[in-house]
């Protein structure tokens, strides 16, 4: 990336011309064509701003000012690339983890005995039998055969929704054949027998989850392994068997970087995908800081320092949006601390044609998998989420302290509810002595006489409350998500309300 400097010869030439024209002429002199100039359209010779004092010669920036504002412009664009690029960087992190595990091509990674806290995945849960596959369409269309009774999603390399599969998809949970077609594909496609889906990118995440039966993951695992198939269309007449890798208990990272490596994660997508795949505006932002398809991304010392600052400010901004959101619409109840991941109820974070950028950042900095099924109100179907980062008084959770969540009776769920504790640094499950940092209504919890449940958080359990306790770590913050599986109408109309978490003592 070249250094931006205002050419001194141009500045000198402009100054000479202007001085020559004005020599001996007072500033308020009138000429035949002189008219009143509105002050609002002129620029003072010196302006104090948040980036310092900016100086001009009759509106022409001095070399020092031009250098300062170009540095600031590159910084601003670096911050914008971070905030808008989080979905793609997150997907690059997931791909790296799946590639390391071998869950690519016709090999699927499955958490046969659930995901535990050893795996770093953004706000994953401990109640689903997850399966993952990195689906690459560079060699042509790919077939995915789905088993019955799953929730499956495919998102593209920029984490944009491509299609649902399973219960929320066109196969209606009965299982079916999906054919994923790469961008620009001109070959022949089958006339029937498939749900044909065109993706705007070559790289795609195939994700799904099966459902435990009475707390047992084995039936779902067996069904997925028996019915899920991934293979190239070119092998449709004689597909190779799909292989499965058990990822339960595996140490793996799928979380994107929060330092300058973040930009290199984004550049992977810029180089691999069709030019402009993320739209001309974002592609232009990437190009503005040196990411252009077919060219090396090699920022010089000046740009490296600017991007190092930009990613630090971008990260601070994303964390503020997530942990101290200023938008009242982020809160599920006006008088409580619980937030929704889909502000405005749109999986695209759109409202009257305008995208809520902060809402999108809020979601993707802490979560993954985008589908309309997670955002729309469907009583009795799917799941809903409520997250909180603070106690009733608005204070961040301190792992050395003790807290209680009172879950009122008659939680509006057809299936069950759960609570999972997460690390504020990794946004993944909190790593304690408990392999599964979670509790759910399917477990043998202590219940109050009215059917309500008290859930305890702290470094040690309250005496006699071990069944209802989740461990925290002194000196470390945490946050939690309350999930409702098969949420009922009382959740959507807010006639049932979840209590805030209260500090004890």
């Amino acid at each position: 990336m070249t250094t931006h400097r205002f050419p001194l010869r141009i500045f000198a030439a402009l100054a000479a011309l202007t001085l020559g024209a004005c020599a001996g002429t007072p500033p308020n002199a009138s000429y035949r064509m002189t008219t009143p100039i509105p002050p609002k359209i002129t620029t003072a010779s010196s302006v104090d701003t948040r980036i310092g004092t900016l100086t001009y010669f009759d509106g022409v920036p001095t070399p020092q000012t031009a250098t300062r504002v170009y540095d600031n412009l590159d910084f601003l664009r670096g911050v914008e690339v971070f905030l808008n690029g989080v979905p793609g960087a997150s997907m690059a992190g997931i791909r790296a983890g799946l590639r390391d595990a071998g869950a690519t091509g016709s090999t699927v990674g499955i958490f046969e005995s659930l995901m535990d806290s050893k795996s770093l995945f953004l706000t994953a849960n401990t109640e689903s039998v997850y399966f993952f596959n990195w689906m690459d369409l560079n060699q042509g269309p790919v077939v995915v055969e789905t088993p019955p009774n799953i929730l499956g999603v495919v998102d593209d390399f920029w984490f944009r929704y491509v299609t649902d599969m399973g219960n929320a998809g066109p196969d209606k949970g009965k299982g079916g054949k999906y054919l994923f077609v790469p961008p620009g594909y001109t070959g022949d496609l089958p006339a029937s027998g498939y749900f044909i889906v065109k993706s705007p990118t070559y790289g795609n995440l195939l994700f799904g989850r099966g459902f435990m039966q009475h707390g047992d993951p084995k039936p779902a695992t067996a069904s997925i392994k028996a019915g899920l198939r991934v293979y190239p269309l070119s092998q449709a007449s004689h597909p190779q068997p799909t292989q499965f890798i058990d990822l339960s208990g595996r140490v793996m990272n799928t979380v994107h970087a929060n330092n300058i490596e973040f930009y290199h994660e984004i550049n992977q997508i810029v180089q691999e995908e069709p030019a402009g795949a993320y739209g001309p505006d974002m592609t232009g932002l990437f190009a503005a800081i040196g990411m252009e398809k077919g060219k090396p991304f090699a920022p010089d010392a000046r740009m490296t320092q600017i991007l190092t600052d930009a990613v630090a400010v971008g990260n601070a901004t994303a964390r503020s949006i997530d942990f101290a959101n200023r938008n009242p619409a982020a809160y599920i109840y006006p008088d409580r601390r619980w937030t929704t991941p889909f502000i405005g109820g749109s999986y695209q974070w759109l409202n009257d044609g305008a995208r809520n950028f902060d809402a999108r950042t809020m979601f993707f900095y802490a979560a993954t998998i985008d589908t309309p099924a997670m955002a729309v109100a469907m009583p009795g179907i799917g799941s809903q989420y409520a997250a909180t980062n603070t106690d009733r008084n608005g204070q961040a959770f301190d792992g050395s302290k003790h807290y209680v969540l009172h879950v009122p009776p008659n939680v509006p769920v057809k299936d069950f509810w759960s609570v999972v504790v997460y690390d504020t640094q990794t946004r993944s499950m909190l790593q304690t002595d408990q392999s599964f940092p979670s509790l759910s209504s399917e477990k043998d919890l202590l219940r109050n006489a009215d059917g309500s449940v008290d859930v305890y958080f702290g470094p040690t359990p309250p005496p006699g409350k071990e069944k209802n306790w989740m461990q925290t770590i002194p000196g470390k913050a945490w946050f939690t998500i309350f999930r409702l599986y098969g949420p009922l109408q009382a959740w959507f109309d807010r006639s049932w309300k979840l209590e805030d978490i209260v500090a004890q003592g």
Side-chain angles (χ1 to χ4, degrees):
M1 178 63 98
T2 58
T3 301
H4 295 294
R5 293 283 184 252
F6 193 95
L8 290 175
R9 65 182 184 279
I10 295 177
F11 177 76
L14 286 170
L17 286 170
T18 305
L19 287 171
C22 298
T25 305
N28 60 350
S30 295
Y31 291 85
R32 185 168 60 89
M33 298 301 292
T34 298
T35 61
I37 305 298
K40 69 180 181 181
I41 73 171
T42 64
T43 299
S45 60
S46 178
V47 181
D48 291 328
T49 74
R50 66 190 304 159
I51 65 171
T53 299
L54 307 179
T55 55
Y56 305 85
F57 175 74
D58 199 22
V60 178
T62 63
Q64 295 81 4
T65 289
T67 295
R68 179 170 293 183
V69 297
Y70 276 129
D71 285 350
N72 185 59
L73 182 60
D74 290 337
F75 168 77
L76 292 174
R77 286 171 170 162
V79 172
E80 285 299 319
V81 168
F82 182 90
L83 294 175
N84 290 284
V86 163
S90 182
M91 192 65 91
I94 291 173
R95 180 177 72 166
L98 295 181
R99 279 181 168 177
D100 183 62
T104 63
S106 292
T107 301
V108 175
I110 182 171
F111 288 86
E112 295 189 16
S113 52
L114 307 178
M115 186 189 296
D116 62 31
S117 59
K118 287 185 177 180
S119 298
L120 298 180
F121 278 80
L122 294 179
T123 53
N125 70 59
T126 61
E127 293 80 41
S128 299
V129 179
Y130 286 129
F131 64 83
F132 290 87
N133 171 267
W134 184 256
M135 184 169 59
D136 191 334
L137 305 179
N138 267 291
Q139 302 305 312
V142 171
V143 177
V144 177
E145 298 182 18
T146 61
N149 193 31
I150 63 163
L151 281 175
V153 180
V154 170
D155 287 335
D156 79 358
F157 212 156
W158 289 114
F159 241 132
R160 295 172 298 193
Y161 169 74
V162 175
T163 191
D164 286 303
M165 300 179 294
N167 296 355
D171 67 284
K172 306 299 183 183
K174 298 178 181 179
K177 287 186 178 182
Y178 290 77
L179 180 60
F180 292 91
V181 182
Y185 183 77
T186 58
D188 294 333
L189 295 174
S192 61
Y194 298 90
F195 299 110
I196 296 179
V197 182
K198 295 182 179 180
S199 173
T201 59
Y202 296 110
N204 296 267
L205 176 65
L206 168 62
F207 162 84
R209 62 187 187 190
F211 306 100
M212 290 194 290
Q213 296 183 15
H214 307 293
D216 185 2
K218 292 180 181 178
T221 297
S223 176
I224 292 167
K225 294 176 75 170
L228 181 64
R229 298 290 180 266
V230 183
Y231 54 85
L233 177 64
S234 60
Q235 297 179 6
S237 61
H238 51 283
Q240 297 294 315
T242 297
Q243 304 296 319
F244 292 88
I245 300 173
D246 185 5
L247 299 180
S248 291
R250 186 184 182 93
V251 177
M252 59 188 300
N253 175 44
T254 67
V255 180
H256 65 79
N258 280 327
N259 59 17
I260 198 168
E261 183 61 27
F262 175 95
Y263 298 107
H264 294 277
E265 292 172 339
I266 292 293
N267 189 53
Q268 294 176 36
I269 315 176
V270 171
Q271 299 304 326
E272 294 177 28
E273 295 298 340
Y278 201 14
D281 291 340
M282 281 309 305
T283 302
L285 274 178
F286 298 147
I289 65 168
M291 297 181 200
E292 296 182 73
K293 186 172 178 63
K295 297 181 180 180
F297 174 55
D300 61 15
R302 167 189 166 276
M303 198 65 180
T304 296
Q305 181 59 56
I306 287 174
L307 292 180
T308 299
D309 290 344
V311 75
V313 172
N315 179 52
T317 305
R319 286 184 171 274
S320 297
I321 290 170
D322 253 314
F323 296 118
N325 199 286
R326 66 182 181 178
N327 184 355
Y331 294 87
I332 296 173
Y333 314 103
D335 59 344
R336 305 187 187 189
R337 304 291 180 176
W338 295 96
T339 61
T340 173
F342 290 99
I343 298 175
S346 166
Y347 77 97
Q348 295 177 306
W349 300 275
L350 293 173
N351 183 24
D352 293 330
R355 193 177 313 281
N356 186 330
F357 292 108
D358 288 356
R360 184 174 66 180
T361 296
M362 178 184 176
F363 178 84
F364 280 110
Y365 194 76
T368 61
I369 311 304
D370 187 21
T371 166
M374 293 170 64
V376 299
M378 297 187 297
I381 300 174
S383 52
Q384 287 285 302
Y385 310 83
T388 189
N389 308 298
T390 64
D391 66 15
R392 176 182 292 172
N393 296 322
Q395 299 298 309
F397 295 119
D398 182 342
S400 65
K401 297 180 179 180
H402 295 264
Y403 302 85
V404 62
L405 167 63
H406 180 72
V407 182
N410 304 313
V411 180
V413 289
K414 179 171 66 68
D415 301 318
F416 65 97
W417 58 262
S418 77
V419 184
V420 183
V421 177
Y422 298 99
D423 185 325
T424 53
Q425 286 282 8
T426 67
R427 292 93 70 207
S428 304
M429 294 181 204
L430 187 65
Q431 295 179 331
T432 66
D433 293 327
Q434 297 173 324
S435 298
F436 300 102
S438 63
L439 291 172
S440 81
S441 59
E442 290 196 321
K443 296 183 179 180
D444 182 23
L445 301 178
L446 299 173
R447 300 179 184 276
N448 301 317
D450 63 354
S452 64
V453 174
D454 293 318
V455 175
Y456 299 91
F457 309 84
T460 56
K465 307 294 185 181
E466 290 82 1
K467 288 184 177 181
N468 291 31
W469 166 70
M470 283 184 283
Q471 186 177 15
T472 61
I473 302 172
K476 172 167 278 299
W478 56 273
F479 69 100
T480 189
I481 296 179
F482 186 93
R483 290 177 170 86
L484 301 92
Y485 293 90
L488 300 177
Q489 184 60 34
W491 170 255
F492 296 106
D493 64 22
R494 305 294 182 251
S495 58
W496 182 92
K497 292 186 176 182
L498 185 60
E499 301 284 350
D500 280 328
I501 296 176
V502 179
Q504 295 185 296

